[in-house]
Amino acid sequence: MEKNVEILSREIVKPSSPTPDDKRILNLSLLDILSSPMYTGALLFYAADPQNLLGFSTEETSLKLKKSLSKTLPIFYPLAGRIIGSFVKCNDEGAVFIEARVDHLLSEFLKCPVPESLELLIPAEAKSREAVTWPVLLIQANFFSCGGLVITICVSHKITDATSLAMFIRGWAESSRGLGITLIPSFTASEVFPKPLDELPSKPMDRKEEVEEMSCVTKRFVFDASKIKKLRAKASSNLVKNPTRVEAVTALFWRCVTKVSRLSSLTPRTSVLQILVNLRGKVDSLCENTIGNMLSLMILKNEEAAIERIQDVVDEIRRAKEIFSLNCKEMSKSSSRIFELLEEIGKVYGRGNEMDLWMSNSWCKLGLYDADFGWGKPVWVTGRGTSHFKNLMLLIDTKDGEGIEAWITLTEEHMSLFECDQELLETASLNPPVLI
């Protein structure tokens, strides 16, 4: 499909009103500083209105998006700035807005949405590992020949996580519908987790800095609502009688990749699961609308693959959550607790060659399917797709909010075993068509 995507225009969209002088410099928090210099992004797919045979008008739709974006940026003012070292210069330079034409039918595209094809709908700058030198916010509006539309939103990971991205998308969509932005962002993360006066911790928060880039494969596995219900029942135990969707799928993932490692290794290896956890609502001084990388890692160890049953894995996840909640309470009393957690994470990476490191990240319940810009809600939402880093799983809601899509990146050897695992295939479908 590569030859079928044509860039029509590229321009800078500036805020509709200037940023006040007292907000021109925004210090990054400790967790922002330690995050990877790359972009996090979401793709929102909109089918053409069947009553409008022409579909989305490139000119009218782009104008509507750019005008509403301009009105949104004064509220999310750092996204119109530029990152310089450990702070954002909020100079209103603006966001990049790209229009692209896709000579392809959206319905055909969604029959087999392979990760590689998604890359063609993403701004070229977002694929760079030097995101700190580029604009903070990149938008690409992809107009399909059938009248369908895909809006790609990419934001620098140095200042946003998935929750921050979802807040921005919600505010932009409300602005596009002519409404006031209902969730006003807070840019106070550096007050909760300030940059230390002495040297930074030696290990970065974001695992992507630590993992060797190598030849990997990313594939999409879909757990529909009925299969999720069965999986949750299977994963229930005396300790956890009603596991969540995310707990059940995460447990299955860890169990299956641990089996894969055992099949491909001469001796059993310790399997370590790292779960990214949103600190909002857990650390008392951190409000729910805080923008930034408000994330930490919850770490679970399976010594020599000793934990066998999926119920036992769910039990371990729930125990780890309880311990993590206690750590967050300590963090609420003293921000120095974050340094102790970083040290613990650093020790795990220090033994990376001796253990298998896996990571799970959930975008569930972020409300991305509510992004209505004035022409209805998206028929499909997904993240970036491909990854250059192994052993990652990204979980995203299905449209009905009951199922889960899992985007999993493994080495080619591990994926060839993983995708044939019968326990996995009992509950997941490999890249089924997206239903419009």
Side-chain angles (χ1 to χ4, degrees), residues 46 169-170 173-174 177 366-373 376-378 381:
Y46 297 89
I169 292 172
R170 169 179 168 173
E174 289 173 337
R177 299 201 310 274
L366 289 183
L368 293 172
Y369 275 98
D370 294 327
D372 180 1
F373 288 83
K377 296 180 179 181
V381 174

Side-chain angles (χ1 to χ4, degrees), residues 79 190 214 266 281 284 355 383:
L79 303 192
S190 63
M214 58 196 310
L266 295 176
D284 291 343
M355 304 181 294

Side-chain angles (χ1 to χ4, degrees), residues 279-347:
L279 294 174
R280 300 171 184 86
K282 297 178 177 66
V283 177
D284 291 343
S285 52
L286 204 59
C287 55
E288 294 281 0
N289 59 335
T290 302
I291 297 292
N293 286 282
M294 300 297 97
L295 301 170
S296 187
L297 285 174
M298 190 168 71
I299 296 177
L300 295 81
K301 292 182 182 180
N302 188 354
E303 301 286 349
E304 297 184 351
I307 304 172
E308 287 284 349
R309 301 185 312 154
I310 191 171
Q311 298 98 320
D312 298 331
V313 179
V314 170
D315 288 351
E316 288 297 312
I317 291 173
R318 188 62 66 89
R319 288 190 191 98
K321 282 184 175 180
E322 292 171 358
I323 294 171
F324 190 85
S325 295
L326 294 174
N327 286 332
C328 287
K329 289 181 180 178
E330 293 298 320
M331 237 182 284
S332 299
K333 299 174 184 176
S334 172
S335 60
S336 63
R337 178 62 182 131
I338 192 67
F339 289 96
E340 296 173 23
L341 287 175
L342 292 171
E343 287 295 324
E344 292 173 20
I345 294 167
K347 289 177 183 177

